[in-house]
Amino acid sequence: MRDYLLTLCVTAAVTYLLTGPVRKFAIATGAMPEIRARDVHREPTPRLGGIAMFFGLCAGLLVADHLQNLNSVFDQSNEPRALLSGAALIWLIGVLDDKFELDALIKLGAQMISAGVMVAQGLTILWLPIPGVGTVALTQWQGTLLTVALVVLTINAVNFVDGLDGLAAGMVCIATGAFFLYAYRLWYGYTIEAAAPATLFAAILMGMCLGFLPHNMHPARIFMGDSGSMLIGLILAASAISITGQVDPDTLKIFEGSTRQATHAALPVFIPLILPLTIIAIPMTDLVLAIVRRTWKGQSPFAADRGHLHHRLLEIGHSHSRAVLIMYFWSALIAFGTLAYSVHSTSMWIVLAITVLSALGLVLLLLPRFSPRAPRWAEAVVPPRYRRRRAVLEPEPEHEVAEDERVPVPAGLHGSTAIGHRSRFSDRRKAGTRS
């Protein structure tokens, strides 16, 4: 655990320290796109934050390669090299897109090629655990197609959710934290060496997100852009593939002897194996809803709009920060709830806690719909926003002011300046938005 934490801290430190210079570089090169109709930020903000995140990834892998307990990951597996190859390719395409706005089909092709590069180096799904059936070995073509599909879906799901300051990095960091605990439990608790690469990938991914978040929280000083969102999406998919497709479920003693458990009886045992897929549940839901919504309107599935989940939270009255925190809450509930249920599936307290927290999440989600007002007798002790509004009646003038009784207004004053004090400073904020 100490080596993993050291790798995480080095990755976070490198990412954090490089983000400032990268921001200046993005401004100097003009990587600050104009405000679009679907954006929610108010000023043009530089992109290319993925540059700092990629060098954080490289630093994390370099440090891990020189640590005694993690060096075996590079000696016994080719997965770290496969990850770095695919990440470098998707990162280059993302940098070009942040600067020149590439076509969506070009990016889709680059995502498929990056996944193919990882498959060619051994990072692929070999088998699938199916409840009621057991472990099903996949052919080479089946494994390749499933791996490419999972990589493309994960990259686009993370890219779609990157619409508010700190949203994508925070959600991925929270969910990856739960995944790291599960992967480390497999590696250390069950002594399954095949889980070591996924544990390392999760630690590095958390470091990348933690190092970038201080610069990306509202109001963001820099965006990760497609160079960052596609990068962390690919690492997330690589971690899921490494655990779900590389670790043999039989080593976890899923089946007792030759008896195949029924699907409903084996469900708690299979849940840990699909944990990497649950960490992108919210981004994947947003992706599916976006495709259905745009197709229903006769638009391209890649057409941008303001119908994402985070946009809807803003529309119903949530502030920018509260919308991000609500998305954080649901991401943590799904990821850590799945992790807790997989460890103690027979405990009713876990199910009860998840139910209560889900109800709390719904209340927070619908909070702007309610306008609580305190009773008359309690208005003196509650904040003004909870008091009932009273109609203010303007007093009628007792008599008309005669022409000669009017006070002359000095020259240079008009209605707005004569009524009261006006600030000497003009409001120089620009109207704008965010991607």
Side-chain angles (χ1 to χ4, degrees), residues 343-418:
V343 175
H344 299 288
S345 59
T346 59
S347 176
M348 291 302 299
W349 288 105
I350 294 178
V351 178
L352 180 61
I354 294 176
T355 304
V356 172
L357 290 175
S358 299
L360 177 62
L362 291 176
V363 172
L364 295 175
L365 192 65
L366 301 176
L367 193 60
R369 297 295 186 183
F370 301 100
S371 299
R373 292 290 180 266
R376 298 287 187 187
W377 56 270
E379 288 186 351
V381 295
V382 298
R385 62 178 178 273
Y386 297 119
R387 300 172 186 172
R388 300 178 184 275
R389 297 179 181 177
R390 293 186 176 89
V392 180
L393 300 178
E394 297 182 0
E396 297 181 0
E398 297 181 359
H399 64 281
E400 293 185 3
V401 181
E403 186 107 12
D404 54 352
E405 296 179 0
R406 295 177 181 174
V407 180
V409 179
L413 294 180
H414 53 80
S416 61
T417 55

Side-chain angles (χ1 to χ4, degrees), residues 90-159:
I90 200 68
W91 171 73
L92 287 174
I93 297 298
V95 170
L96 293 177
D97 180 68
D98 289 340
K99 174 58 179 164
F100 302 107
E101 295 284 345
L102 301 180
D103 185 74
L105 292 179
I106 296 178
K107 292 190 293 184
L108 180 61
Q111 295 167 10
M112 298 176 67
I113 295 175
S114 300
V117 169
M118 294 193 300
V119 170
Q121 299 185 60
L123 187 56
T124 182
I125 299 177
L126 301 178
W127 48 66
L128 285 178
I130 300 179
V133 177
T135 303
V136 177
L138 302 178
T139 64
Q140 183 178 359
W141 281 106
Q142 290 174 340
T144 300
L145 292 177
L146 187 58
T147 301
V148 173
L150 180 60
V151 171
V152 172
L153 286 175
T154 307
I155 289 176
N156 286 281
V158 175
N159 192 23

Side-chain angles (χ1 to χ4, degrees), residues 43-57:
E43 294 182 0
T45 306
R47 293 184 179 179
L48 295 178
I51 295 179
M53 303 179 80
F54 177 75
F55 283 105
L57 167 66

